[in-house]
Amino acid sequence: PFFVNRGGLPVDEPTWERMWRHVGRIHPDGDRVAQRIRGAADLPKIPIPSVPVFQPSTPIPERLEAVQRYIRELQYNHTGTQFFEIKKSRPLTGLMDLAKEMTKEALPIKCLEAVILGIYLTNNMTTLDRFPISFKTHFSGNYFRHIVLGVNFGGRYGALGISRREELMYKAPVFRTLSELIFDFEEAYRRCWHTLKKVKLGHCVSHDPHSVEQIEWKHSILDLDKLSREDFRKELERHARDMRLKIGKGTGPPSPTKDRKKDVSSPQRGQASPHRRNSRGDRRPSGEKKPADSKAMPDLNGYQIRV
């Protein structure tokens, strides 16, 4: 019932210590069980999923399928313990370092870890646009949250991710519009008896793994209780146009990287760059402009509750 070191590889001590503490809390004989597992010499070796490697000629759709297979092979984390601490406010370079750690430890993951891992594994696919898509649903008196990595290749939309439900993770890039992709997720939720309440869409993520910019997780916040069906579709397509325009115009000067830090002082923690402030100011809840709230903190834990 407990995860062991895959293939005998060394694993970061803090991660495993969290696991053993959790075992000690939830199992009546947890400490003794943990020690027995740790001291066992005859445990079978667990196969380690291989990080996909691509030839330059490999088509992007095939690469996406391979990335999704790798994410699935890590398996969904049902233990109740989060193995990797994901802070959405961290710069992209820090999140990419964490993704590298995920590939090293090969532990089960949840949906937000899958998004970070998907970004890491597609960084070299420069013709692929990646952006986060968050869902809030309602079922049986409770609210649930989920997140996937939206992708756009050649004008076709899809998604990468992981979920307990097969239909709420991978979507091949075959959808002609962003609204078609979101409506497909909505229908999948409906089959699970969930009602879609909100959709949060971020902007495209940089392909520079050393960028110190933050991922923009919530550029557009669409509340389905306040939008008609047609208005919801229009807002989705407006967001798609915003992303195309941002890509077409570029995002201004290159973001500072680790190498550039020698000459450029890094901003203080919590202080947004001018471009970041403008992006937050343009954030659109349910199609209407909303003044930036500098005190608003990102929702760091909501993603842990999902179907």
Side-chain angles (χ1 to χ4, degrees):
F2 307 105
F3 290 100
V4 298
N5 192 329
R6 291 180 184 262
L9 288 180
V11 176
D12 186 21
E13 184 69 12
T15 300
W16 283 99
E17 285 301 330
R18 289 197 299 271
M19 291 179 61
W20 299 128
R21 286 199 300 271
H22 183 70
V23 170
R25 286 197 303 268
I26 67 174
H27 195 284
D29 198 19
D31 292 335
R32 188 176 302 174
V33 170
Q35 292 300 325
R36 187 166 66 247
I37 294 175
R38 297 177 98 171
D42 57 346
L43 292 176
K45 288 188 176 182
I46 307 299
I48 303 173
S50 299
V51 178
V53 178
F54 309 108
Q55 298 295 328
S57 59
T58 305
I60 294 297
E62 292 184 17
R63 298 188 187 194
L64 292 177
E65 289 180 5
V67 169
Q68 182 63 39
R69 279 197 303 271
Y70 175 77
I71 291 175
R72 288 169 59 97
E73 287 172 357
L74 291 178
Q75 302 181 20
Y76 188 87
N77 180 6
H78 294 276
T79 66
T81 298
Q82 184 177 337
F83 298 141
F84 304 98
E85 183 181 9
I86 306 290
K87 294 183 178 180
K88 289 184 175 180
S89 58
R90 288 187 69 181
L92 184 60
T93 179
L95 294 175
M96 294 302 94
D97 289 342
L98 184 57
K100 189 181 298 184
E101 180 185 346
M102 293 182 203
T103 62
K104 175 184 175 182
E105 297 192 4
L107 292 170
I109 58 177
K110 294 187 177 182
C111 62
L112 185 56
E113 288 102 321
V115 168
I116 302 303
L117 196 55
I119 294 172
Y120 174 74
L121 295 174
T122 58
N123 270 337
N124 61 347
M125 306 179 196
T126 55
T127 57
L128 182 75
D129 300 328
R130 299 89 44 85
F131 57 98
I133 307 174
S134 303
F135 302 97
K136 179 180 179 180
T137 61
H138 183 263
F139 170 72
S140 188
N142 296 309
Y143 289 96
F144 300 85
R145 290 170 175 84
H146 181 48
I147 187 169
V148 297
L149 181 65
V151 297
N152 180 7
F153 173 69
R156 301 283 175 164
Y157 291 88
L160 298 171
I162 198 167
S163 171
R164 293 183 179 94
R165 297 283 187 172
E166 181 73 24
E167 57 270 33
L168 294 175
M169 37 200 290
Y170 176 65
K171 304 287 184 182
V174 297
F175 297 91
R176 295 177 302 171
T177 64
L178 177 58
S179 58
E180 286 185 5
L181 173 65
I182 301 301
F183 291 160
D184 187 82
F185 272 106
E186 183 182 28
E187 178 59 29
Y189 271 118
R190 188 176 292 113
R191 292 195 296 269
C192 299
W193 305 99
H194 280 238
T195 302
L196 186 60
K197 291 294 186 180
K198 281 187 179 181
V199 176
K200 299 177 182 179
L201 302 160
H203 255 313
C204 292
V205 180
S206 170
H207 285 270
D208 179 6
H210 305 297
S211 171
V212 297
E213 289 185 350
Q214 295 176 341
I215 296 175
E216 188 169 3
W217 299 94
K218 299 183 291 186
H219 180 77
S220 297
I221 305 174
L222 308 181
D223 190 336
L224 275 69
D225 289 336
K226 299 179 181 179
L227 292 169
S228 67
R229 189 69 173 178
E230 182 60 21
D231 288 339
F232 181 42
R233 185 192 64 78
K234 288 180 179 179
E235 287 301 318
L236 291 172
E237 295 314 314
R238 182 180 298 179
H239 183 84
R241 288 195 301 272
D242 287 348
M243 288 195 294
R244 289 195 297 269
L245 289 172
K246 187 174 183 180
I247 295 169
K249 294 179 179 179
T251 56
S255 61
T257 63
K258 289 180 178 178
D259 295 335
R260 298 189 187 108
K261 286 183 180 179
K262 298 177 183 178
D263 302 321
V264 181
S265 60
S266 59
Q268 297 178 358
R269 181 171 297 180
Q271 179 180 357
S273 64
H275 170 68
R276 181 65 181 162
R277 285 197 296 269
N278 291 339
S279 297
R280 286 178 177 171
D282 293 339
R283 191 176 297 159
R284 201 170 45 252
S286 300
E288 297 179 359
K289 296 290 182 180
K290 174 183 175 182
D293 183 1
S294 60
K295 297 182 180 179
M297 295 295 292
D299 182 9
L300 303 179
N301 300 316
Y303 76 95
Q304 296 177 0
I305 305 175
R306 61 183 68 77
V307 294

